[in-house]
Coordinates of all heavy atoms in Angstrom, one line a residue:
M23 N 7.1 -6.4 7.7 CA 5.6 -6.6 7.6 C 4.9 -5.5 8.5 O 5.3 -5.4 9.7 CB 5.3 -8.0 8.1 CG 3.8 -8.4 8.0 SD 3.2 -8.5 6.3 CE 3.9 -10.0 5.8
I24 N 4.0 -4.8 7.9 CA 3.3 -3.7 8.6 C 1.8 -4.2 8.8 O 1.2 -4.6 7.9 CB 3.3 -2.4 7.8 CG1 4.8 -2.0 7.5 CG2 2.6 -1.3 8.5 CD1 4.9 -1.3 6.2
R25 N 1.5 -4.2 10.1 CA 0.1 -4.6 10.4 C -0.8 -3.4 10.3 O -0.6 -2.4 10.9 CB 0.0 -5.2 11.8 CG -1.2 -5.9 12.1 CD -1.1 -6.7 13.3 NE -2.3 -6.9 14.0 CZ -2.6 -6.8 15.3 NH1 -1.5 -6.5 16.1 NH2 -3.7 -6.8 15.9
L26 N -1.8 -3.5 9.4 CA -2.8 -2.4 9.2 C -3.9 -2.6 10.1 O -4.8 -3.3 9.8 CB -3.2 -2.3 7.8 CG -2.1 -2.2 6.7 CD1 -2.7 -2.2 5.3 CD2 -1.3 -0.9 6.9
T27 N -3.9 -1.9 11.3 CA -5.0 -2.0 12.2 C -6.0 -1.0 12.1 O -6.9 -1.0 11.3 CB -4.4 -2.1 13.6 OG1 -3.5 -1.1 13.8 CG2 -3.7 -3.5 13.9
T28 N -5.8 0.1 12.8 CA -6.7 1.2 12.7 C -6.2 2.3 11.8 O -5.0 2.3 11.5 CB -6.9 1.8 14.1 OG1 -5.6 2.3 14.6 CG2 -7.5 0.9 15.1
A29 N -7.0 3.3 11.5 CA -6.6 4.3 10.6 C -5.5 5.1 11.2 O -4.7 5.7 10.5 CB -7.8 5.3 10.3
T30 N -5.4 5.2 12.5 CA -4.4 6.0 13.2 C -3.0 5.4 12.9 O -2.0 6.2 12.9 CB -4.6 6.1 14.7 OG1 -4.8 4.7 15.2 CG2 -5.8 6.9 15.1
T31 N -2.9 4.1 12.7 CA -1.6 3.5 12.4 C -1.0 4.2 11.1 O 0.2 4.5 11.0 CB -1.8 2.0 12.0 OG1 -2.5 1.4 13.1 CG2 -0.4 1.4 11.9
L32 N -1.9 4.5 10.2 CA -1.4 5.0 8.9 C -1.6 6.6 8.8 O -1.3 7.1 7.8 CB -2.2 4.4 7.8 CG -1.8 3.0 7.4 CD1 -2.7 2.4 6.4 CD2 -0.4 3.0 6.8
Q33 N -2.1 7.2 9.8 CA -2.5 8.6 9.8 C -1.4 9.5 9.2 O -1.6 10.2 8.3 CB -2.9 9.1 11.2 CG -3.8 10.3 11.1 CD -4.5 10.5 12.5 OE1 -3.8 10.3 13.5 NE2 -5.6 11.0 12.5
N34 N -0.2 9.4 9.8 CA 1.0 10.2 9.4 C 1.4 9.8 8.0 O 1.7 10.7 7.1 CB 2.2 10.0 10.3 CG 1.9 10.6 11.7 OD1 1.0 11.5 11.8 ND2 2.6 10.2 12.7
A35 N 1.3 8.5 7.7 CA 1.7 8.0 6.4 C 0.7 8.5 5.3 O 1.2 8.9 4.2 CB 1.8 6.5 6.3
I36 N -0.6 8.5 5.6 CA -1.6 9.1 4.7 C -1.4 10.5 4.4 O -1.4 11.0 3.3 CB -3.0 8.8 5.2 CG1 -3.3 7.2 5.2 CG2 -4.1 9.6 4.4 CD1 -4.5 6.8 6.0
A37 N -1.1 11.3 5.5 CA -0.8 12.7 5.4 C 0.4 12.9 4.5 O 0.3 13.9 3.6 CB -0.6 13.3 6.8
K38 N 1.4 12.2 4.6 CA 2.6 12.3 3.7 C 2.2 12.0 2.3 O 2.7 12.6 1.4 CB 3.8 11.5 4.3 CG 5.0 11.8 3.4 CD 6.3 11.4 4.1 CE 7.5 11.9 3.3 NZ 8.7 11.3 3.6
A39 N 1.5 10.9 2.1 CA 1.1 10.4 0.8 C 0.3 11.6 0.1 O 0.4 11.7 -1.1 CB 0.2 9.2 0.9
R40 N -0.5 12.3 0.8 CA -1.3 13.4 0.2 C -0.4 14.5 -0.2 O -0.7 15.2 -1.1 CB -2.4 13.9 1.3 CG -3.5 12.9 1.4 CD -4.7 13.6 2.1 NE -5.8 12.6 2.2 CZ -6.4 12.3 3.3 NH1 -6.0 12.9 4.5 NH2 -7.4 11.4 3.4
T41 N 0.7 14.7 0.5 CA 1.7 15.8 0.2 C 2.5 15.3 -1.0 O 2.7 16.1 -2.0 CB 2.5 16.1 1.3 OG1 1.7 16.2 2.5 CG2 3.3 17.3 1.1
V42 N 3.0 14.1 -1.0 CA 4.0 13.6 -1.9 C 3.3 13.3 -3.3 O 3.8 13.4 -4.3 CB 4.8 12.5 -1.4 CG1 5.7 11.9 -2.5 CG2 5.6 12.9 -0.2
K43 N 2.0 12.8 -3.1 CA 1.2 12.3 -4.2 C 2.0 11.3 -5.1 O 2.3 11.6 -6.3 CB 0.7 13.4 -5.0 CG -0.3 14.3 -4.3 CD -0.9 15.3 -5.3 CE -1.9 16.2 -4.6 NZ -1.4 17.1 -3.6
P44 N 2.5 10.2 -4.5 CA 3.2 9.2 -5.3 C 2.4 8.5 -6.4 O 1.1 8.5 -6.3 CB 3.7 8.2 -4.3 CG 2.7 8.2 -3.2 CD 2.2 9.6 -3.2
F45 N 3.0 8.1 -7.4 CA 2.2 7.3 -8.5 C 2.1 5.8 -8.1 O 3.2 5.2 -7.8 CB 3.0 7.5 -9.8 CG 2.3 6.8 -11.0 CD1 1.1 7.2 -11.5 CD2 3.0 5.6 -11.5 CE1 0.5 6.5 -12.5 CE2 2.4 4.9 -12.5 CZ 1.2 5.3 -13.0
V46 N 0.9 5.3 -8.1 CA 0.7 3.9 -7.8 C 0.4 3.1 -9.0 O -0.6 3.5 -9.7 CB -0.4 3.8 -6.7 CG1 -0.6 2.3 -6.3 CG2 -0.1 4.6 -5.5
R47 N 1.2 2.1 -9.3 CA 0.8 1.3 -10.4 C 0.4 -0.1 -9.9 O 1.1 -0.6 -9.0 CB 2.0 1.1 -11.3 CG 1.7 0.5 -12.7 CD 2.9 0.3 -13.5 NE 3.6 -0.9 -13.1 CZ 4.9 -1.1 -13.3 NH1 5.6 -0.2 -13.8 NH2 5.4 -2.2 -12.9
V48 N -0.7 -0.6 -10.4 CA -1.2 -1.9 -9.9 C -0.6 -3.0 -10.8 O -0.7 -3.0 -12.0 CB -2.7 -1.9 -10.1 CG1 -3.2 -3.3 -9.6 CG2 -3.4 -0.8 -9.3
N49 N 0.3 -3.8 -10.1 CA 0.9 -5.0 -10.8 C -0.2 -6.1 -10.9 O -0.4 -6.7 -11.9 CB 2.1 -5.5 -10.0 CG 3.1 -4.4 -9.9 OD1 3.3 -3.6 -10.8 ND2 3.8 -4.4 -8.7
C50 N -0.9 -6.3 -9.8 CA -2.0 -7.3 -9.8 C -2.7 -7.0 -8.5 O -2.1 -6.2 -7.7 CB -1.5 -8.7 -9.9 SG -0.5 -9.3 -8.5
F51 N -3.7 -7.7 -8.2 CA -4.4 -7.5 -6.9 C -3.5 -7.9 -5.7 O -3.0 -9.0 -5.6 CB -5.7 -8.3 -6.8 CG -6.5 -8.1 -5.6 CD1 -7.1 -6.9 -5.3 CD2 -6.6 -9.1 -4.6 CE1 -7.7 -6.6 -4.1 CE2 -7.3 -8.9 -3.4 CZ -7.9 -7.6 -3.2
G52 N -3.2 -6.9 -4.9 CA -2.3 -7.1 -3.8 C -0.8 -6.7 -4.0 O -0.1 -6.8 -3.0
S53 N -0.5 -6.3 -5.2 CA 0.9 -6.0 -5.5 C 1.0 -4.6 -6.3 O 0.4 -4.5 -7.3 CB 1.6 -7.1 -6.3 OG 2.9 -6.7 -6.7
Y54 N 1.7 -3.7 -5.7 CA 1.7 -2.3 -6.3 C 3.1 -1.8 -6.4 O 4.0 -2.1 -5.6 CB 0.8 -1.4 -5.4 CG -0.5 -2.0 -5.2 CD1 -0.8 -2.8 -4.1 CD2 -1.5 -1.8 -6.1 CE1 -2.0 -3.4 -3.9 CE2 -2.8 -2.4 -5.9 CZ -3.0 -3.2 -4.8 OH -4.2 -3.8 -4.6
T55 N 3.3 -1.0 -7.4 CA 4.6 -0.3 -7.5 C 4.3 1.2 -7.2 O 3.5 1.8 -7.9 CB 5.2 -0.5 -8.9 OG1 5.4 -1.9 -9.1 CG2 6.5 0.2 -9.1
V56 N 5.0 1.7 -6.2 CA 4.8 3.1 -5.8 C 6.0 3.9 -6.2 O 7.2 3.6 -5.8 CB 4.5 3.2 -4.3 CG1 4.2 4.7 -3.9 CG2 3.3 2.3 -3.9
T57 N 5.8 5.0 -7.0 CA 6.9 5.8 -7.5 C 6.8 7.2 -7.0 O 5.7 7.8 -7.0 CB 6.9 5.8 -9.0 OG1 7.0 4.5 -9.5 CG2 8.1 6.6 -9.5
N58 N 7.9 7.7 -6.4 CA 8.0 9.1 -6.1 C 8.2 9.9 -7.3 O 9.3 9.8 -8.0 CB 9.1 9.3 -5.0 CG 9.2 10.8 -4.5 OD1 9.1 11.7 -5.3 ND2 9.4 10.9 -3.2
R59 N 7.3 10.7 -7.7 CA 7.4 11.5 -9.0 C 8.6 12.4 -9.0 O 9.1 12.7 -10.0 CB 6.1 12.3 -9.2 CG 4.8 11.5 -9.4 CD 3.6 12.4 -9.5 NE 2.4 11.7 -9.1 CZ 1.6 11.1 -10.0 NH1 1.9 11.1 -11.3 NH2 0.5 10.6 -9.6
K60 N 8.9 12.9 -7.8 CA 10.0 13.9 -7.8 C 11.4 13.2 -7.9 O 12.3 13.6 -8.7 CB 10.0 14.7 -6.4 CG 9.7 16.1 -6.6 CD 9.8 16.8 -5.2 CE 9.0 18.1 -5.3 NZ 8.8 18.7 -3.9
T61 N 11.6 12.2 -7.1 CA 12.9 11.5 -7.1 C 13.1 10.3 -8.0 O 14.1 9.9 -8.3 CB 13.3 11.0 -5.6 OG1 12.3 10.0 -5.3 CG2 13.2 12.2 -4.6
G62 N 11.9 9.8 -8.4 CA 11.9 8.7 -9.3 C 12.1 7.3 -8.6 O 12.2 6.3 -9.2
A63 N 12.3 7.4 -7.2 CA 12.4 6.2 -6.4 C 11.2 5.4 -6.5 O 10.0 5.9 -6.4 CB 12.7 6.7 -5.0
T64 N 11.4 4.1 -6.7 CA 10.3 3.2 -6.9 C 10.4 2.0 -5.9 O 11.5 1.5 -5.6 CB 10.4 2.5 -8.3 OG1 10.1 3.6 -9.2 CG2 9.3 1.5 -8.5
Y65 N 9.3 1.7 -5.2 CA 9.2 0.7 -4.2 C 8.0 -0.2 -4.5 O 7.1 0.2 -5.1 CB 9.1 1.3 -2.8 CG 10.2 2.2 -2.4 CD1 10.0 3.6 -2.5 CD2 11.4 1.7 -2.1 CE1 11.1 4.5 -2.3 CE2 12.5 2.6 -1.8 CZ 12.3 4.0 -1.9 OH 13.3 4.8 -1.6
T66 N 8.1 -1.5 -4.1 CA 7.1 -2.5 -4.3 C 6.3 -2.6 -3.0 O 7.0 -2.9 -1.9 CB 7.7 -3.8 -4.7 OG1 8.5 -3.5 -5.9 CG2 6.6 -4.8 -5.0
V67 N 5.0 -2.5 -3.0 CA 4.2 -2.7 -1.8 C 3.3 -3.9 -2.1 O 2.7 -4.0 -3.2 CB 3.3 -1.5 -1.6 CG1 2.4 -1.7 -0.4 CG2 4.2 -0.3 -1.2
T68 N 3.2 -4.8 -1.1 CA 2.3 -5.9 -1.2 C 1.3 -5.8 -0.1 O 1.6 -5.4 1.1 CB 2.9 -7.3 -1.2 OG1 3.8 -7.3 -0.1 CG2 3.8 -7.5 -2.4
C69 N 0.0 -6.1 -0.4 CA -1.0 -6.1 0.7 C -1.6 -7.5 0.7 O -1.9 -8.1 -0.4 CB -2.1 -5.1 0.3 SG -1.6 -3.4 0.2
E70 N -1.9 -7.9 1.9 CA -2.6 -9.2 2.0 C -3.4 -9.3 3.3 O -3.2 -8.6 4.2 CB -1.6 -10.4 2.0 CG -0.7 -10.4 3.1 CD 0.3 -11.6 3.1 OE1 -0.2 -12.7 3.0 OE2 1.5 -11.3 3.1
K71 N -4.4 -10.2 3.2 CA -5.3 -10.4 4.3 C -4.9 -11.8 4.9 O -4.8 -12.8 4.2 CB -6.8 -10.4 3.9 CG -7.7 -9.9 4.9 CD -9.1 -9.7 4.3 CE -10.1 -9.2 5.3 NZ -11.4 -9.0 4.7
R72 N -4.7 -11.8 6.2 CA -4.3 -13.0 6.9 C -5.1 -13.2 8.2 O -5.0 -12.2 9.1 CB -2.8 -13.0 7.2 CG -2.2 -14.4 7.0 CD -0.8 -14.4 7.4 NE 0.1 -13.8 6.4 CZ 1.4 -13.4 6.7 NH1 1.9 -13.5 7.9 NH2 2.1 -12.9 5.7
D73 N -5.9 -14.2 8.3 CA -6.7 -14.4 9.5 C -7.5 -13.2 9.9 O -7.7 -12.8 11.0 CB -5.8 -14.7 10.8 CG -5.0 -16.0 10.6 OD1 -5.5 -16.9 9.9 OD2 -3.9 -16.1 11.0
G74 N -8.1 -12.6 8.8 CA -9.0 -11.5 9.0 C -8.3 -10.1 9.3 O -8.9 -9.1 9.4
E75 N -6.9 -10.2 9.3 CA -6.2 -8.9 9.6 C -5.5 -8.5 8.3 O -5.0 -9.4 7.5 CB -5.2 -9.1 10.7 CG -5.9 -9.1 12.0 CD -4.9 -8.9 13.1 OE1 -4.3 -10.0 13.5 OE2 -4.6 -7.9 13.6
R76 N -5.3 -7.2 8.0 CA -4.6 -6.8 6.9 C -3.1 -6.5 7.2 O -2.8 -5.8 8.2 CB -5.3 -5.5 6.3 CG -6.7 -5.8 5.8 CD -7.3 -4.5 5.3 NE -8.7 -4.7 5.0 CZ -9.2 -5.4 3.9 NH1 -8.3 -5.8 3.0 NH2 -10.5 -5.6 3.8
F77 N -2.3 -6.9 6.3 CA -0.9 -6.7 6.4 C -0.3 -6.1 5.1 O -0.9 -6.3 4.0 CB -0.1 -8.0 6.7 CG -0.5 -8.6 8.1 CD1 -1.5 -9.5 8.2 CD2 0.3 -8.2 9.2 CE1 -1.8 -10.0 9.4 CE2 0.0 -8.8 10.4 CZ -1.0 -9.6 10.5
A78 N 0.8 -5.3 5.2 CA 1.4 -4.7 4.1 C 2.9 -4.9 4.2 O 3.4 -4.9 5.4 CB 0.9 -3.3 3.9
D79 N 3.5 -4.9 3.1 CA 5.0 -4.9 3.1 C 5.5 -3.8 2.1 O 4.8 -3.7 1.0 CB 5.5 -6.3 2.6 CG 6.1 -7.0 3.7 OD1 6.7 -6.4 4.6 OD2 6.0 -8.3 3.7
C80 N 6.6 -3.2 2.3 CA 7.1 -2.2 1.4 C 8.6 -2.4 1.4 O 9.2 -2.8 2.4 CB 6.8 -0.7 1.8 SG 7.5 0.4 0.7
S81 N 9.2 -2.3 0.2 CA 10.6 -2.5 0.0 C 11.5 -1.3 0.4 O 12.7 -1.4 0.3 CB 10.8 -2.9 -1.5 OG 10.5 -1.8 -2.3
C82 N 10.9 -0.2 0.9 CA 11.7 0.9 1.3 C 12.4 0.6 2.7 O 12.0 -0.3 3.4 CB 10.9 2.2 1.3 SG 9.8 2.4 2.7
N83 N 13.2 1.5 3.2 CA 13.9 1.3 4.4 C 12.9 1.3 5.6 O 13.1 0.4 6.5 CB 14.9 2.5 4.7 CG 16.2 2.3 3.9 OD1 16.6 1.2 3.5 ND2 16.9 3.4 3.6
A84 N 12.0 2.2 5.6 CA 11.0 2.2 6.8 C 10.1 1.0 6.7 O 9.9 0.3 7.7 CB 10.1 3.5 6.7
G85 N 9.7 0.6 5.5 CA 8.8 -0.5 5.3 C 9.5 -1.8 5.7 O 8.8 -2.7 6.4
T86 N 10.7 -2.0 5.4 CA 11.4 -3.3 5.8 C 11.6 -3.3 7.3 O 11.9 -4.4 7.8 CB 12.8 -3.4 5.1 OG1 13.5 -2.2 5.3 CG2 12.5 -3.6 3.6
R87 N 11.5 -2.2 8.0 CA 11.7 -2.1 9.5 C 10.3 -2.2 10.1 O 10.2 -2.1 11.4 CB 12.4 -0.9 9.9 CG 13.8 -0.8 9.6 CD 14.5 0.2 10.5 NE 14.0 1.5 10.3 CZ 14.5 2.4 9.5 NH1 15.5 2.1 8.7 NH2 13.9 3.6 9.4
G88 N 9.3 -2.4 9.3 CA 7.9 -2.6 9.9 C 7.2 -1.3 10.2 O 6.2 -1.3 10.9
Q89 N 7.7 -0.2 9.6 CA 7.1 1.1 9.9 C 6.2 1.4 8.8 O 6.5 1.1 7.6 CB 8.2 2.2 10.0 CG 9.0 2.1 11.2 CD 10.2 3.0 11.2 OE1 10.4 3.8 10.3 NE2 11.0 2.9 12.2
A90 N 5.0 2.0 9.1 CA 4.0 2.4 8.1 C 4.6 3.6 7.3 O 4.8 4.6 7.9 CB 2.7 2.8 8.8
C91 N 4.8 3.4 6.1 CA 5.4 4.5 5.2 C 4.3 4.9 4.3 O 3.2 4.3 4.1 CB 6.6 3.9 4.4 SG 6.2 2.6 3.4
Y92 N 4.6 6.0 3.6 CA 3.6 6.6 2.7 C 3.3 5.8 1.5 O 2.3 5.9 0.9 CB 3.9 8.1 2.4 CG 5.0 8.4 1.4 CD1 4.7 8.4 0.1 CD2 6.3 8.5 1.9 CE1 5.7 8.6 -0.8 CE2 7.3 8.7 1.0 CZ 7.0 8.8 -0.4 OH 8.0 9.0 -1.3
H93 N 4.3 5.0 1.2 CA 4.1 4.0 0.0 C 2.9 3.1 0.3 O 2.1 2.8 -0.5 CB 5.4 3.2 -0.3 CG 6.6 4.0 -0.3 ND1 7.6 3.9 0.6 CD2 7.0 5.1 -1.1 CE1 8.6 4.8 0.4 NE2 8.2 5.5 -0.7
V94 N 3.0 2.5 1.6 CA 1.9 1.6 2.0 C 0.6 2.4 2.0 O -0.4 1.8 1.6 CB 2.2 1.0 3.3 CG1 1.0 0.4 4.0 CG2 3.4 0.0 3.1
A95 N 0.6 3.6 2.6 CA -0.6 4.3 2.6 C -1.2 4.6 1.2 O -2.4 4.4 1.0 CB -0.3 5.7 3.3
A96 N -0.4 4.9 0.3 CA -0.8 5.2 -1.1 C -1.4 3.9 -1.7 O -2.4 3.9 -2.4 CB 0.3 5.8 -1.9
A97 N -0.6 2.8 -1.6 CA -1.0 1.5 -2.2 C -2.3 1.0 -1.5 O -3.2 0.4 -2.1 CB 0.1 0.5 -2.0
A98 N -2.3 1.2 -0.2 CA -3.6 0.7 0.6 C -4.8 1.4 0.1 O -5.9 0.8 0.0 CB -3.4 0.9 2.1
G99 N -4.7 2.7 -0.2 CA -5.8 3.4 -0.8 C -6.3 2.8 -2.1 O -7.5 2.6 -2.2
A100 N -5.4 2.4 -3.0 CA -5.7 1.8 -4.2 C -6.2 0.4 -4.0 O -7.2 0.0 -4.6 CB -4.5 1.8 -5.1
H101 N -5.6 -0.3 -3.1 CA -6.0 -1.6 -2.7 C -7.5 -1.8 -2.3 O -8.2 -2.6 -2.7 CB -5.1 -2.2 -1.6 CG -5.3 -3.7 -1.3 ND1 -5.0 -4.6 -2.2 CD2 -5.8 -4.3 -0.3 CE1 -5.3 -5.8 -1.7 NE2 -5.8 -5.6 -0.5
I102 N -7.9 -0.8 -1.4 CA -9.3 -0.8 -0.9 C -10.2 -0.6 -2.0 O -11.3 -1.2 -2.1 CB -9.4 0.3 0.2 CG1 -8.6 -0.2 1.5 CG2 -10.8 0.6 0.5 CD1 -8.3 1.0 2.4
V103 N -9.9 0.3 -3.0 CA -10.8 0.6 -4.1 C -10.9 -0.7 -4.9 O -12.0 -1.1 -5.4 CB -10.3 1.8 -4.9 CG1 -11.1 1.9 -6.3 CG2 -10.3 3.1 -4.1
I104 N -9.8 -1.3 -5.3 CA -9.8 -2.5 -6.1 C -10.5 -3.7 -5.4 O -11.3 -4.4 -6.0 CB -8.4 -2.9 -6.5 CG1 -7.7 -1.8 -7.3 CG2 -8.3 -4.3 -7.2 CD1 -6.2 -1.9 -7.4
A105 N -10.3 -3.8 -4.1 CA -11.0 -4.9 -3.3 C -12.5 -4.7 -3.4 O -13.2 -5.7 -3.5 CB -10.4 -4.9 -1.9
A106 N -13.0 -3.4 -3.3 CA -14.4 -3.2 -3.4 C -14.9 -3.5 -4.8 O -16.0 -4.1 -4.9 CB -14.6 -1.7 -3.0
E107 N -14.1 -3.2 -5.8 CA -14.6 -3.5 -7.2 C -14.6 -5.0 -7.4 O -15.5 -5.5 -8.0 CB -13.6 -2.9 -8.2 CG -13.8 -1.4 -8.5 CD -12.8 -0.8 -9.3 OE1 -11.9 -1.5 -9.8 OE2 -12.9 0.4 -9.4
R108 N -13.6 -5.7 -6.8 CA -13.5 -7.2 -7.0 C -14.7 -7.9 -6.3 O -15.1 -8.9 -6.8 CB -12.3 -7.7 -6.4 CG -11.0 -7.6 -7.2 CD -9.8 -7.9 -6.5 NE -9.8 -9.2 -5.8 CZ -9.3 -10.3 -6.4 NH1 -8.8 -10.3 -7.5 NH2 -9.3 -11.4 -5.8
A109 N -15.3 -7.3 -5.3 CA -16.4 -7.8 -4.6 C -17.6 -7.9 -5.6 O -18.5 -8.8 -5.4 CB -16.7 -7.0 -3.4
T110 N -17.6 -7.1 -6.6 CA -18.8 -7.1 -7.5 C -18.5 -7.7 -8.9 O -19.2 -7.8 -9.8 CB -19.4 -5.7 -7.7 OG1 -18.3 -4.9 -8.2 CG2 -19.9 -5.1 -6.4
T111 N -17.2 -8.1 -9.1 CA -16.8 -8.7 -10.4 C -16.1 -10.0 -10.1 O -15.9 -10.4 -9.0 CB -15.7 -7.7 -11.2 OG1 -14.6 -7.6 -10.3 CG2 -16.4 -6.3 -11.4
T112 N -15.7 -10.6 -11.2 CA -15.0 -11.9 -11.1 C -13.6 -11.8 -11.5 O -12.9 -12.8 -12.0 CB -15.8 -12.9 -12.0 OG1 -15.7 -12.4 -13.3 CG2 -17.1 -13.3 -11.5
A113 N -13.0 -10.6 -11.3 CA -11.6 -10.4 -11.6 C -10.7 -11.4 -10.9 O -10.9 -11.7 -9.7 CB -11.1 -9.0 -11.3
S114 N -9.6 -12.0 -11.5 CA -8.8 -13.0 -10.9 C -7.5 -12.4 -10.5 O -7.1 -11.3 -10.9 CB -8.6 -14.1 -11.8 OG -7.9 -13.7 -13.0
N115 N -6.8 -13.1 -9.6 CA -5.4 -12.7 -9.2 C -4.5 -13.0 -10.3 O -4.8 -13.8 -11.3 CB -5.0 -13.6 -8.0 CG -5.7 -13.2 -6.8 OD1 -5.9 -12.0 -6.5 ND2 -6.0 -14.2 -6.0
C116 N -3.3 -12.3 -10.3 CA -2.4 -12.5 -11.4 C -1.4 -13.7 -10.9 O -1.5 -14.1 -9.8 CB -1.6 -11.3 -11.7 SG -0.5 -10.8 -10.3
Ligands
ZN219 ZN1 7.7 2.4 1.8

């Protein structure tokens, strides 16, 4: 479980995501499949809000150790956009 606090927590991960440019597929709100286009490695990232704090989980080695990885950074970017859209629509969870 990775606690998403400030932007600095994800700074390195975001920088890596910008370099790697992984493909993010939305499974449903809060669940994403992140694929490294080069290696084809695929990981599942989940995002959730608990007690007003944001948490994320990733199935990769770093993510399972609670380290912010670029998969989380990439998925969090998509998650924020979707969350903003959901605020104005009535889209439901899957
Ligand atoms: Zn990861």
Side-chain angles (χ1 to χ4, degrees):
M23 186 64 76
I24 302 147
R25 192 166 152 222
L26 305 177
T27 47
T28 59
T30 50
T31 310
L32 281 173
Q33 207 168 30
N34 291 338
I36 289 167
K38 186 160 184 195
R40 284 197 182 126
T41 310
V42 177
K43 293 187 178 67
F45 177 71
V46 181
R47 197 183 76 207
V48 180
N49 301 321
C50 64
F51 182 66
S53 175
Y54 308 90
T55 299
V56 181
T57 305
N58 182 315
R59 294 174 205 266
K60 245 186 204 168
T61 65
T64 294
Y65 302 101
T66 304
V67 176
T68 53
C69 299
E70 63 177 306
K71 208 172 185 180
R72 220 185 276 165
D73 299 327
E75 285 192 277
R76 291 177 192 284
F77 292 91
D79 250 329
C80 181
S81 59
C82 77
N83 282 335
T86 52
R87 288 199 304 265
Q89 292 172 2
C91 56
Y92 74 89
H93 314 114
V94 164
H101 185 70
I102 287 161
V103 171
I104 295 163
E107 279 173 5
R108 276 168 58 91
T110 56
T111 64
T112 53
S114 61
N115 288 320
C116 63

